[in-house]
Amino acid sequence: MAKYDKKFKQAVVKRILEEGMGAKRLAAECGLHHAMIDRWVASYRIHGEAGLAPKYGVYDAAFRLKVLRRKWREDLSCIQAAAIFNIRSPASIGNW
């Protein structure tokens, strides 16, 4: 089970996007790290509500290579690439 459910993530993202609250302030209020909130917001902007849904899976070699090539070509951070490809853990990309 995911640590934070979709409803909680939606509420956090709404406060950032609709109320204009800062990620660091909201993170302190919710007991989160601001980078996690930044990932949720980025994923929501690209994928909508589906970007906040729990996701479990294994990425095959072809998908990993596709992600890495785009990351290198566009000089993306792991966080940016994870948001684009709807990967929950940006650290996974760094490990590839």
Side-chain angles (χ1 to χ4, degrees), residues 53-64:
K55 182 179 176 190
Y56 306 97
V58 177
Y59 305 107
D60 64 20
F63 178 77
R64 291 178 186 195

Side-chain angles (χ1 to χ4, degrees), residues 40-90:
W40 293 348
V41 170
S43 188
Y44 180 82
R45 284 184 170 148
I46 294 169
H47 303 286
E49 301 226 354
L52 301 176
K55 182 179 176 190
Y56 306 97
V58 177
Y59 305 107
D60 64 20
F63 178 77
R64 291 178 186 195
L65 187 57
K66 179 180 174 181
V67 172
L68 291 174
R69 284 185 175 152
R70 181 157 179 196
K71 180 185 179 309
W72 295 327
R73 184 178 64 245
E74 297 181 21
D75 195 28
L76 301 171
S77 70
C78 290
I79 292 171
Q80 291 169 320
I84 290 168
F85 288 96
N86 204 15
I87 298 169
R88 293 293 179 258
S89 175

Side-chain angles (χ1 to χ4, degrees), residues 11-24:
V12 169
V13 169
K14 180 181 178 181
R15 291 186 72 188
I16 295 290
L17 297 179
E18 294 179 10
E19 298 174 19
M21 189 167 200
K24 287 186 179 182

